[in-house]
Amino acid sequence: MPTAAYMTYSQLVQRLRQLADLAPDLVRLEVIGKSRLGRDLFAVALTDAVTGSALDKPAVLVDGNIHAGEVCASSAVVYWIERLVEERERDPAVRELLRTRTVYAIPRIAVDGAEVYLTTPARLRSSPHLYPHTSPPDGFVEDDVNGDGRILWMRVPAEDGAYAVDEIDPRVMRPRQPGEIGGVYYHLFPEGRVVRTSQGGARPAASSARDARLHGMDFNRNFPIRWAGESGQPGAGPFPLSEPELRALADFVQAHPNIAAYAALHTSGGVILRQPSTGDDTVLSPLDRALFTEVARMGERETGYFSGSNYEKFATGHEAVLMPGAADDWMYDHLGVLSFTVELWDLRRRAGARGYGEIGMRRMMSLTVEERLEDERKVVDYVAREFPDAYTPWTPFDHPDFGRVEIGGLDPKFVIQNPPPALLEEECDRVGRFLTRLGLTTARLVVTGLSVEPVAVGVYRVMAEVANAGFLPTASTKKGKELALEGVRVELRGASEVLAGSSPCELDHLDGYGYHGTWRLPAHQRAHVEWVVRGAPGDVLEIRFCAPRAGMATASIALP
């Protein structure tokens, strides 16, 4: 059975190659580009080759680890595709997915940044290259100054400090109250040091400690959708798709028009995020609102996560544009693909505290100081009790810049941002169930009627009916239909001459059974086409229906 694990780049590549060797009839491994530092970016295609080629079936695309520190996401992608291979005969849902659909998986996008994250104490957003600066600036840089292998928190005693030790739980730092005097107060910030590259004399550490942001690139703000630039969105990059990793991803998407559903795996929050990002649900068409809502609710049942729109969960009211340049927005707004962001792992919920996945950022902002302290105590107590190695007590340290400080707190990598290793497989398993069901929501063409009748000697009338047996429309969404994707293409083969009707010809897109309403005539899920042909008794006619995001369906019949 597959096991979930955190993997370095070489370990990740080894598992992908082993999977391809284990199931060559199901798995195709492809290098789709190179990272900024020259590492190969891998994509995996999985489908049962006996039932058709990958491009001839509707597909779900899943990617992970677009942010360097979100390594749980790449673990989940690898674990899921290994489970698909393992359970291809035992699990009816997996068998149907591989028989009738294609899975595309890109386990790790930020291959350079994730390697730094996994092999050093450093934390970074996406890429280790210097950005937005062209040369390192003076300022504060997060660093493992005490050499314990983790970048934790520092508290520095100071008269102008904004924090005090919590009286109820001294492991927690509480905000200093308005007008509060008479106590010991601290500055509280991440463990790090002040770097000075410019010439000059000695300067005070505290007033020199401005965020240097050496590695500020954010891959998930670099897509060509409401792109805001660095001044409008930190991490956006110099221009859309400026990063080679994202250009490779975009090229892969464009080369695979059968992608009908998409999930980007991130951490953390324990929430399935759907469209829209630009306002409340009335921004969407009624059909797309129903599709997104029902699939997200299915995801809730499969994972135990919360669900909601990007706008509902993240908007605070202060944004000019909410998360400009994000992948899921690009996939939906520009390509019409039903797209989700899945935030794995919810430490706060495990500890019984409130989180944005449950109540959204607006309500998180409205929590009182007392409510926030109550939640913080729960989180620290949970980690210290259940995963003591992930909690470091406040420990004195002589800092080269700030003098006597104390360093401590929770492990930011493998208890806050990602689950502790003991809980990794549970997270991977629950999200995998959702991804399998998401793939099965895509449209699927089936031939529901085929007849032929003679109308004269050697002349026949042929009728064929096609239906969409999937939840989604053949365009994936109403947005997809509006973007002028080609509809259902029909082709008749085997007739000596077509006297009436056209071959090939094109039908309109078909709704899926996911149309939301009290009732719906089946005409919107079905279509038929007719021809008058010339042929001889015994000639075999083949009718082929196909649509990029709904696959191919064929049927044959002999002339009487």
Side-chain angles (χ1 to χ4, degrees):
M1 288 291 291
T3 56
Y6 293 115
M7 297 164 283
T8 63
Y9 178 77
S10 62
Q11 291 167 337
L12 173 68
V13 173
Q14 181 182 24
R15 284 183 72 157
L16 295 179
R17 287 177 172 157
Q18 287 175 342
L19 187 65
D21 291 341
L22 176 66
D25 57 327
L26 284 182
V27 179
R28 181 171 59 85
L29 188 61
E30 175 187 1
V31 175
I32 63 171
K34 288 188 178 293
S35 72
R36 187 175 285 268
L37 295 183
R39 290 185 174 90
D40 288 335
L41 294 174
F42 286 93
V44 184
L46 298 92
T47 196
D48 186 347
V50 173
T51 58
S53 68
L55 278 172
D56 285 337
K57 300 174 185 178
V60 57
L61 169 64
V62 178
D63 65 41
N65 218 163
I66 196 171
H67 289 140
E70 298 173 0
V71 289
C72 172
S74 54
S75 299
V77 176
V78 172
Y79 181 80
W80 176 53
I81 60 178
E82 289 178 340
R83 287 289 295 270
L84 293 180
V85 172
E86 176 77 18
E87 298 178 357
R88 58 187 292 190
E89 300 299 337
R90 294 197 299 264
D91 188 320
V94 171
R95 184 167 58 247
E96 180 69 4
L97 178 70
L98 296 175
R99 186 182 72 85
T100 60
R101 272 83 167 183
T102 296
V103 169
Y104 296 125
I106 303 175
R108 180 171 293 168
I109 297 173
V111 290
D112 296 337
E115 196 71 1
V116 172
Y117 186 91
L118 287 164
T119 60
T120 75
R123 299 178 300 187
L124 65 165
R125 186 62 167 163
S126 290
S127 176
H129 78 279
L130 188 64
Y131 174 87
H133 306 285
T134 56
S135 60
D138 288 4
F140 180 80
V141 176
E142 293 187 14
D143 192 24
D144 175 26
V145 292
N146 66 356
D148 69 351
R150 294 173 175 174
I151 297 175
L152 301 174
W153 288 89
M154 292 198 309
R155 64 185 190 188
V156 183
E159 186 176 351
D160 61 340
Y163 293 87
V165 175
D166 180 37
E167 291 80 2
I168 296 176
D169 187 341
R171 297 172 297 189
V172 174
M173 299 299 291
R174 64 163 178 83
R176 184 178 180 180
Q177 295 301 300
E180 180 181 342
I181 62 172
V184 178
Y185 304 110
Y186 299 84
H187 294 302
L188 180 68
F189 48 92
E191 182 181 354
R193 56 194 172 85
V194 177
V195 176
R196 299 182 177 94
T197 59
S198 60
Q199 295 182 358
R203 286 167 286 174
S207 57
S208 301
R210 302 181 184 276
D211 184 9
R213 292 193 64 229
L214 299 180
H215 310 298
M217 184 67 221
D218 187 338
F219 283 172
N220 204 36
R221 300 295 181 268
N222 191 233
F223 288 90
I225 173 71
R226 297 185 291 276
W227 182 80
E230 184 65 25
S231 61
Q233 170 62 59
F239 55 87
L241 298 181
S242 61
E243 306 310 294
E245 296 90 342
L246 303 190
R247 173 65 69 175
L249 172 61
D251 288 345
F252 180 86
V253 170
Q254 291 295 326
H256 295 83
N258 58 328
I259 295 172
Y262 170 67
L265 303 193
H266 291 244
T267 63
S268 60
V271 59
I272 297 170
L273 298 165
R274 57 171 176 82
Q275 292 294 308
S277 297
T278 55
D280 63 28
D281 283 0
T282 58
V283 171
L284 299 176
S285 67
L287 175 59
D288 286 358
R289 182 165 64 246
L291 297 176
F292 274 113
T293 301
E294 291 307 311
V295 174
R297 286 174 179 165
M298 174 272 288
E300 284 185 350
R301 294 188 292 271
E302 293 293 333
T303 62
Y305 289 171
F306 301 106
S307 75
S309 73
N310 291 320
Y311 185 81
E312 173 193 348
K313 297 301 183 182
F314 281 121
T316 66
H318 297 291
E319 305 90 358
V321 180
L322 181 65
M323 296 184 297
D328 57 346
D329 290 345
W330 174 66
M331 290 288 285
Y332 175 67
D333 281 19
H334 285 194
L335 303 174
V337 173
L338 193 84
S339 303
F340 298 88
T341 290
V342 184
E343 299 278 0
L344 287 75
W345 176 238
D346 189 352
L347 170 61
R348 300 182 70 84
R349 189 178 186 184
R350 293 266 183 169
R354 287 157 286 213
Y356 84 88
E358 178 182 12
I359 66 176
M361 288 304 300
R362 284 180 186 263
R363 288 184 59 193
M364 288 291 288
M365 291 170 60
S366 69
L367 295 176
T368 65
V369 171
E370 291 74 17
E371 288 172 327
R372 293 178 186 179
L373 270 174
E374 176 189 348
D375 284 343
E376 189 66 21
R377 293 173 192 133
K378 290 178 179 178
V379 171
V380 171
D381 184 66
Y382 169 79
V383 174
R385 185 180 66 253
E386 298 293 330
F387 302 98
D389 291 343
Y391 170 74
T392 299
W394 292 107
T395 305
F397 179 74
D398 289 322
H399 195 283
D401 299 314
F402 298 100
R404 193 68 167 173
V405 305
E406 291 177 87
I407 298 175
L410 305 183
D411 182 341
K413 290 188 175 183
F414 298 107
V415 74
I416 295 178
Q417 192 170 25
N418 299 281
L423 297 180
L424 176 61
E425 191 154 317
E426 179 182 337
E427 291 297 314
C428 295
D429 181 67
R430 63 170 68 190
V431 77
R433 295 195 298 269
F434 167 62
L435 298 176
T436 297
R437 288 283 298 275
L438 176 62
L440 289 171
T441 66
T442 56
R444 183 170 72 89
L445 296 180
V446 293
V447 178
T448 49
L450 179 58
S451 64
V452 60
E453 58 179 310
V455 294
V457 176
V459 179
Y460 301 86
R461 174 181 174 270
V462 181
M463 186 282 298
E465 183 186 57
V466 65
N468 175 11
F471 179 86
L472 297 181
T474 56
S476 180
T477 63
K478 186 175 186 296
K479 171 76 76 172
K481 186 175 181 180
E482 292 169 353
L483 292 171
L485 291 172
E486 62 181 88
V488 179
R489 184 179 174 88
V490 192
E491 187 174 358
L492 172 68
R493 296 179 178 181
S496 58
E497 184 180 0
V498 178
L499 303 175
S502 300
S503 176
C505 63
E506 188 168 314
L507 306 176
D508 198 3
H509 281 287
L510 302 176
D511 286 344
Y513 68 82
Y515 180 87
H516 193 68
T518 54
W519 56 270
R520 179 76 162 170
L521 289 170
H524 300 278
Q525 282 179 245
R526 296 194 178 195
H528 71 276
V529 62
E530 299 180 41
W531 299 274
V532 176
V533 304
R534 191 184 303 279
D539 287 350
V540 176
L541 305 183
E542 182 187 63
I543 294 85
R544 175 175 298 182
F545 295 93
C546 61
R549 296 178 179 175
M552 180 183 297
T554 62
S556 59
I557 192 169
L559 297 178

